[in-house]
Amino acid sequence: RIPRNTVSSPSQPFTSRGFTCRPSFSMRGSLSGPRRRKLLNLCFAVHALLSAAIGIAALVTPHLVGVFFGEELHNTLRYNPAGEAKVAHIALRFYGALTLGQAYIVWNARKISDGEVRRCFVQAYAGVFGLSLLILLRAHFTEPHWSIENLTWARFFLNWGLILFFATLTVGYTWFVIVQPPIVFEGLGHVA
C-alpha cells in the first residue's frame, strides 16, 4: 500500500519502498496556479473565436466550408447547388449552427468558477477533437476521393491543414487533461 499525502510540496520527490519519483518539470510549478488558469482561459477564448468564425462561415457560405470536405470551388460566393450538394449544404449549415453554439458555450466557460465543470469541458473537447482527428486521418488514407491520384496540391494542403488544426486542438486539450494539476480547473474567483 502506498501512503497518501506524503509529499509536503510539489517540488519534493515522493519516496515509497525505496523508489523515488521526482515530479516532472511541467508539474513542478513553472507557471503559478493563476497563470495556468489564465492559460486554460486563453485556450477557451481561442477555441471560441475560431469556432465562431467557422460556424458563421458554414452558415453563410457552406460551399466554401465544403471545400474542406472535397467540394469543388465555384467562381461565385452565391452558389446554389442541386441534388446531393444541396443536402450536403444543409448538413454543413447544421454543423455551422452547432459550432456557433459551441463557441458561445466555450466563451462563457471562461467565467465558470466550478472546477469540475471546467474539467468536464476540457475532457470532452480532448475526446471530441481526438475522434475528429482520427476520422480525418481515416478519410485521408482510405477514401478514394483523397487518394494521391485524385488529390490536387491545393486540396492536399487544405486537408493536411485541417488535420494539423484538429491535431493541435487534440494535443492542447489532452495536455490540460493529462499534465495539468487539478488547480488549473478552479475558476479565477478561487485564487488564493
Side-chain angles (χ1 to χ4, degrees):
R1 225 174 123 86
I2 297 174
R4 293 180 180 249
N5 300 329
T6 58
V7 177
S8 61
S9 80
S11 61
Q12 281 187 328
F14 171 78
T15 304
S16 175
R17 297 182 187 188
F19 295 100
T20 301
C21 176
R22 299 197 185 281
S24 68
F25 173 78
S26 62
M27 296 186 73
R28 268 194 210 152
S30 60
L31 293 173
S32 66
R35 289 186 65 199
R36 288 181 183 183
R37 284 185 289 273
K38 287 181 182 177
L39 185 61
L40 178 58
N41 282 343
L42 176 65
C43 182
F44 281 163
V46 169
H47 175 185
L49 293 173
L50 289 173
S51 292
I54 292 168
I56 290 169
L59 280 170
V60 177
T61 57
H63 53 283
L64 293 180
V65 176
V67 169
F68 287 103
F69 301 105
E71 187 174 322
E72 295 297 323
L73 259 181
H74 304 281
N75 292 333
T76 177
L77 287 176
R78 298 280 309 153
Y79 173 63
N80 197 7
E84 290 178 6
K86 185 77 163 177
V87 173
H89 284 201
I90 291 170
L92 280 171
R93 283 192 167 108
F94 276 120
Y95 172 76
L98 289 171
T99 305
L100 197 55
Q102 171 190 246
Y104 176 79
I105 291 169
V106 175
W107 182 262
N108 287 301
R110 298 174 312 124
K111 302 173 195 167
I112 295 173
S113 61
D114 185 348
E116 288 301 313
V117 173
R118 290 168 63 93
R119 184 191 321 257
C120 183
F121 272 104
V122 170
Q123 290 170 339
Y125 283 128
V128 165
F129 292 129
L131 289 173
S132 299
L133 176 63
L134 291 176
I135 290 166
L136 287 170
L137 287 170
R138 181 184 180 277
H140 184 76
F141 290 113
T142 62
E143 297 294 325
H145 180 79
W146 297 106
S147 69
I148 296 298
E149 296 85 32
N150 296 329
L151 208 56
T152 64
W153 281 106
R155 189 169 287 155
F156 175 83
F157 285 115
L158 269 176
N159 194 39
W160 277 105
L162 195 60
I163 288 170
L164 285 174
F165 174 71
F166 277 97
T168 302
L169 288 170
T170 301
V171 168
Y173 277 113
T174 302
W175 180 75
F176 278 108
V177 169
I178 295 173
V179 176
Q180 292 299 303
I183 193 169
V184 168
F185 300 105
E186 291 301 320
L188 293 175
H190 289 288
V191 175

